[in-house]
Amino acid sequence: MSTDDKQGLQVAVIAGSTRNGRFAPVVADWLLGHVATRDDMTADLIDLVETPLPTTFPSFGGELESGAAELIAAVSPRLESADAFVIVTPEYNHSFPAPLKNAIDWHNHQWHGKPVGFVSYGGLSGGLRAVEQLRVVLAELNAMTIRNTVSFHGAAQCFDTDGKPLDPAADAAAKTMLDQLAWWAEALREARRVRPFAA
Ligand SMILES: Cc1cc2nc3c(=O)[nH]c(=O)nc-3n(C[C@H](O)[C@H](O)[C@H](O)COP(=O)(O)O)c2cc1C
C-alpha cells in the first residue's frame, strides 16, 4: 500500500438548495457532523449560495461570459480534488433543484470514476425521486452512485431544535451510506491511480 492510499478521503459535500429560507443547512450540518466523527474522511462543504455558478453556458468552443471564470474557479478545483461526493438535495417537482443541475453541468471529468452518496429530504417523497433522477444524470458523468441513501420525509418535522434527527435510524443510515462511500472512494482512488480513468 502506498503513502497515498493511507491518506484520508476528501469528500465534497454539495448542498443543492439555494432557496431563501431553505432547510438545507440543517440537513447538511447534521451530515457534516457525521463526517467529523470519522477518521477516514474529511469534508469540504460546497454551498451553492456561497459559491454560485454562472447560468449561461458559452457556445461550443466559445468564451465564457465576463466574471464566469472566477465563479467557476471557486468550485471546480474543490470538485477536482475530491475523492468522493455527498449530495444533499431536496426534491423540487419530483426532481432536484436547478442550481444543483447547473453545478453538475459545469463539470465533467471532475466526476469521472468517483463515488457519490446522497442525503435527500422533501415533503412526502423524502427526496427519493430527486435521488433517482440524480443517479441517471451522474451515470452520464461516469460517476458511481452509492446504493444506500438517507432520506427525510417531511423534513422540517424530522429534526429537533438542535438539528438532531428525532429518529435514530437516520444516524444509522448515515453511517451505512458513509461506510459504503468510503469503500468505493478508496477502491476507485486506487483504481484511478493505477489506471487513470479514460472516458
Ligand atoms: C419548488 C418546490 C417544489 C417542490 N416539490 C416537491 C415535490 O415534488 N415533492 C416533495 O416531496 N416535496 C416538494 N417540495 C418540498 C421541498 O422538498 C421541501 O420544502 C424542502 O424542505 C425544500 O428544501 P429547501 O428548504 O432546502 O429548499 C417542493 C418545494 C419547492 C420549493
Side-chain angles (χ1 to χ4, degrees):
M1 185 178 279
S2 73
T3 306
D4 265 356
D5 298 326
K6 294 175 183 169
Q7 288 177 353
L9 299 165
Q10 298 292 318
V11 179
V13 175
I14 304 171
S17 162
T18 61
R19 188 177 67 83
N20 285 337
R22 65 196 172 143
F23 192 69
V26 174
V27 185
D29 287 348
W30 166 76
L31 190 272
L32 290 169
H34 265 277
V35 174
T37 65
R38 302 177 65 105
D39 59 10
D40 59 349
M41 60 179 67
T42 56
D44 174 25
L45 175 64
I46 297 178
D47 184 336
L48 299 176
V49 168
E50 292 171 9
T51 53
L53 286 158
T55 53
T56 302
F57 280 72
S59 61
F60 292 123
E63 299 285 318
L64 292 170
E65 65 181 7
S66 174
E70 291 78 7
L71 296 176
I72 295 166
V75 174
S76 294
R78 295 160 68 189
L79 298 184
E80 177 97 34
S81 62
D83 299 303
F85 306 95
V86 176
I87 294 179
V88 178
T89 185
E91 180 165 311
Y92 284 4
N93 297 320
H94 293 199
S95 185
F96 53 93
L100 176 56
K101 182 63 161 59
N102 189 49
I104 292 170
D105 288 345
W106 274 107
H107 299 92
N108 192 291
H109 71 273
Q110 291 87 352
W111 299 102
H112 289 182
K114 296 179 184 176
V116 186
F118 302 103
V119 177
S120 68
Y121 59 100
L124 285 176
S125 76
L128 294 174
R129 291 172 293 214
V131 168
E132 293 310 308
Q133 295 212 9
L134 279 163
R135 291 188 194 280
V136 176
V137 171
L138 291 162
E140 174 63 13
L141 291 161
N142 296 296
M144 164 69 209
T145 60
I146 299 302
R147 177 186 182 276
N148 284 53
T149 67
V150 189
S151 63
F152 294 100
H153 303 246
Q157 285 75 50
C158 292
F159 289 81
D160 67 18
T161 52
D162 294 326
K164 291 186 183 142
L166 299 175
D167 183 352
D171 293 298
K175 182 179 183 314
T176 299
M177 183 273 288
L178 291 172
D179 285 348
Q180 292 182 1
L181 187 79
W183 190 93
W184 280 104
E186 286 172 9
L188 292 174
R189 182 168 68 177
E190 173 64 6
R192 292 194 309 277
R193 188 185 67 76
V194 172
R195 183 188 299 185
F197 188 85

